């Protein structure tokens, strides 16, 4: 039962609003164009997403 709850929470957390999707795409595009601040923001976002996934995966034990 706990696993299903965690999976449900992951599914809800993965939903992005149109504004969040647009912001993510703009940052990605700016990074590809060479904007170092945008690249740093992308790196922080990916690290945060990876940390969230790792933390959630610990709940499956």
């Amino acid at each position: 039962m706990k696993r299903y709850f965690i999976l449900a929470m992951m599914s809800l957390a993965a939903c992005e609003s149109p504004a969040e999707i647009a912001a993510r795409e703009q940052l990605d595009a700016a990074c590809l164009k060479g904007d170092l601040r945008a690249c740093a923001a992308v790196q922080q976002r990916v690290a945060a997403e990876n940390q969230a996934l790792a933390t959630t995966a610990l709940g499956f034990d």
Side-chain angles (χ1 to χ4, degrees):
M1 183 73 164
K2 180 180 176 182
R3 290 179 190 218
Y4 295 115
F5 176 74
I6 292 171
L7 286 174
M9 293 306 293
M10 284 177 60
S11 297
L12 289 174
C15 297
E16 291 182 313
S17 71
E20 290 170 324
I21 293 169
R24 179 175 39 84
E25 290 173 352
Q26 286 177 348
L27 272 176
D28 291 346
C31 179
L32 290 173
K33 290 180 182 176
D35 183 342
L36 295 180
R37 286 188 289 185
C39 290
V42 168
Q43 186 177 16
Q44 289 175 349
R45 181 188 77 226
V46 171
E49 290 170 354
N50 289 341
Q51 181 65 41
L53 287 173
T55 303
T56 302
L58 288 174
F60 285 117
D61 291 337

